[in-house]
Amino acid sequence: MAFHIAVAGKGGTGKSTLSALIIRYITEEIGKPVSAVDADPNASLGSLLGLHVQNTVADLREDIVEKKVDFSGMSKDRYIEYAIEESILEKEKFDLLTMGRPEGPKCYCYVNNLLRKYLDKVGTTYPFIVTDNEAGMEHLSRRTTNNVDLLLIVSEPTIVGALTLQRILALADSLPVTIRQKFCILNRVPRNGIHENLQQKLSSLGIEIAAIFPFDQEVYDTAACGASVFEISRENELYQKLGKFLQKHLPASMLEKSVSGSS
């Protein structure tokens, strides 16, 4: 089965950028293909990976609910499976499935169940799945696979960020999903380090920070001009620190570099 990495956190913390850098690291440094899932309604993972996304799962759900689809010649299940496959952007080293905007008042349970089945199937063909989640954690229980091997909860280095970490940790514990490892990460930390008040707040909340990633000018400039994370240098400090974190927490069997980096 695929090793599933999910990235969560409130908006503006850089979780989509970290998700994209994780995908780059796995495909380029470990040399294994990735099934990438953009589950954030504010879909930006595709852009960070240098892709232009046109079709989303949300569009498919809407067509099914509004009965805009002619199922003649195939079952509804087969049509949805085919449509999901058609909405995937395929690259040499990774594929990307974009969820699209959040659900409205209509019921999409049927299509969501089929999507979970499809992603479960994907888990048997890819060594890695990387999911960029929305600000909350609900996607883990209703739209993606029910097994997460490594959950990264990303926060900015503020008191508000610490309180958000606390809420997401509590929510993660309450969801009917299997999360084997979860770690809190502070991202975009200034060069002068974490403020003393924040350190005290994290300690009082019982939150352990597993990694501290600095604000990075190259990453900022790359995002500001709309370039992909593949334009960032391999020697970049953030990229190197993220790589060391993954090397520490991924199973040794998953770190064996593949001779083929294509999907």
Side-chain angles (χ1 to χ4, degrees):
M1 291 294 292
F3 188 90
H4 188 181
I5 302 172
V7 184
K10 77 181 187 68
T13 59
K15 62 184 179 57
S16 295
T17 300
L18 289 180
S19 297
L21 287 171
I22 289 169
I23 292 166
R24 175 182 170 177
Y25 190 88
I26 292 172
T27 56
E28 290 198 341
E29 314 306 333
I30 301 177
K32 294 184 179 180
V34 172
S35 174
V37 180
D38 189 348
D40 192 336
N42 182 27
S44 58
L45 185 59
S47 296
L48 290 165
L49 294 170
L51 303 176
H52 176 62
V53 176
Q54 291 182 307
N55 301 317
T56 71
V57 174
D59 298 328
L60 168 61
R61 288 198 306 260
E62 193 68 25
D63 289 345
I64 296 295
V65 172
E66 296 293 337
K67 299 181 179 179
K68 298 177 182 178
V69 178
D70 180 9
F71 295 110
S72 59
M74 68 174 72
S75 68
K76 183 187 288 189
D77 287 22
R78 181 65 190 105
Y79 171 82
I80 293 173
E81 184 178 352
Y82 171 78
I84 290 175
E85 291 173 352
E86 285 294 298
S87 68
I88 293 173
L89 287 175
E90 298 182 353
K91 299 297 288 184
E92 180 183 357
K93 299 176 181 179
F94 64 89
D95 295 341
L96 172 66
L97 178 66
T98 302
M99 297 296 301
R101 63 188 180 277
E103 299 173 0
K106 303 179 181 113
C107 179
Y108 297 93
C109 297
Y110 174 75
V111 181
N112 283 338
N113 287 335
L114 288 175
L115 176 62
R116 279 198 295 271
K117 291 179 182 178
Y118 175 78
L119 289 177
D120 285 341
K121 183 175 73 173
V122 166
T124 65
T125 57
Y126 288 82
F128 286 96
I129 297 175
V130 176
T131 302
D132 178 20
N133 279 285
E134 64 177 329
M137 295 287 297
E138 288 81 4
H139 271 296
L140 290 175
S141 61
R142 73 172 185 262
R143 293 188 187 175
T144 63
T145 55
N146 287 325
N147 288 288
V148 175
D149 295 289
L150 183 60
L151 173 63
L152 307 181
I153 308 173
V154 184
S155 171
E156 80 277 17
T158 65
I159 297 295
V160 172
L163 294 172
T164 302
L165 283 176
Q166 182 188 40
R167 287 193 292 270
I168 294 179
L169 282 168
L171 183 57
D173 290 337
S174 71
L175 290 174
V177 295
T178 299
I179 300 174
R180 293 176 179 84
Q181 296 184 88
K182 55 179 179 288
F183 297 104
C184 294
I185 291 173
L186 290 184
N187 193 34
R188 296 176 174 170
V189 175
R191 294 293 172 179
N192 59 355
I194 302 173
H195 195 280
E196 181 181 352
N197 288 352
L198 175 58
Q199 292 177 332
Q200 293 173 354
K201 188 65 174 180
L202 290 168
S203 178
S204 69
L205 294 173
I207 296 174
E208 182 178 349
I209 300 300
I212 296 175
F213 296 141
F215 171 83
D216 190 278
Q217 190 64 45
E218 183 185 11
V219 172
Y220 173 81
D221 292 341
T222 300
C225 69
S228 82
V229 297
F230 290 94
E231 300 298 318
I232 296 169
S233 67
R234 266 194 165 97
E235 293 73 29
N236 175 271
E237 180 184 2
L238 173 58
Y239 186 61
Q240 289 292 319
K241 285 191 173 184
L242 178 61
K244 289 179 181 178
F245 177 85
L246 293 173
Q247 291 281 339
K248 180 179 179 180
H249 296 292
L250 292 179
S253 60
M254 304 302 295
L255 293 172
E256 296 175 358
K257 193 174 179 76
S258 172
V259 295
S260 173
S262 66
S263 56

